[in-house]
Amino acid sequence: MLTFEQKLSIIESFPELERKSVSLGRVNFHYADSIYDKKNVVYHLHPNGNGFVYGEFLEGYDFDAKGMVNIRDFTAKELKSIIELSIKSLSPDSTIESAIIEDNEEERWINAENHTLILVHEDDMWNVYAGLNLDGTFLSYNEAKQYLEEEGFRKR
């Protein structure tokens, strides 16, 4: 098993992750560019070496109800791999997002808390997505735009 310091060294090698100290000496690492409300990539890394990586969208990993994979017994290679995959699954260019957008016209809208919604023109309708979740469907672009602006979003 890797030590806390070894795991920290691997995790801190990802410049896109931001360290956040939490209680009991534990640390979280956030991915600010996540297209989802979920920002934690590494959750509650503890000085005893236990911790979690977000893996809800990843294949081949057992995750809990929150989508977290326990990394206690991961090797350095396994830890680096799951972090890379987790970041990729939360990034704007993820294949999950690509499945929603396909070849349709799309725009990204962001609010003051850096939450991102995607406006997609599909089958003569304008759909607003929050991650994989459909947030609203509108008959025209102007209706969708008005809704997004009323909710505090601006075009990115």
Side-chain angles (χ1 to χ4, degrees), residues 12-96:
E12 289 175 339
S13 72
F14 290 90
E16 57 268 69
L17 297 180
E18 180 184 342
R19 181 179 175 154
K20 302 276 185 177
S21 295
V22 291
S23 62
L24 305 173
R26 297 174 299 185
V27 292
N28 292 342
F29 286 85
H30 293 228
Y31 177 50
D33 292 334
S34 175
I35 60 171
Y36 303 99
D37 288 340
K38 177 61 78 179
K39 303 285 184 202
N40 280 332
V41 169
V42 178
Y43 179 71
H44 283 185
L45 181 64
H46 192 278
N48 70 10
N50 199 21
F52 303 88
V53 169
Y54 186 67
E56 183 173 1
F57 301 127
L58 308 181
E59 292 183 23
Y61 294 97
D62 292 326
F63 53 85
D64 65 16
K66 294 180 180 179
M68 296 295 189
V69 176
N70 189 297
I71 58 166
R72 180 177 188 83
D73 297 322
F74 274 39
T75 66
K77 184 177 179 182
E78 291 169 330
L79 181 58
K80 185 174 181 181
S81 176
I82 194 171
I83 292 170
E84 287 172 349
L85 292 170
S86 180
I87 292 169
K88 186 175 180 181
S89 77
L90 298 171
S91 71
D93 297 324
S94 74
T95 56
I96 295 164

Side-chain angles (χ1 to χ4, degrees), residues 95-149:
T95 56
I96 295 164
E97 184 180 299
S98 297
I100 292 171
I101 298 169
E102 296 176 338
D103 292 329
N104 296 310
E105 181 182 351
E106 55 97 9
E107 295 178 353
R108 295 175 193 284
W109 290 69
I110 191 165
N111 70 4
E113 287 116 28
N114 286 324
H115 295 129
T116 301
L117 296 178
I118 304 169
L119 177 60
V120 182
H121 188 211
E122 302 174 278
D123 301 322
D124 295 324
M125 303 291 276
W126 289 90
N127 293 323
V128 176
Y129 289 93
L132 294 174
N133 299 318
L134 179 63
D135 188 61
T137 298
F138 303 90
L139 296 174
S140 72
Y141 175 82
N142 286 336
E143 286 178 37
K145 178 182 173 187
Q146 181 179 353
Y147 166 77
L148 289 163
E149 289 173 345

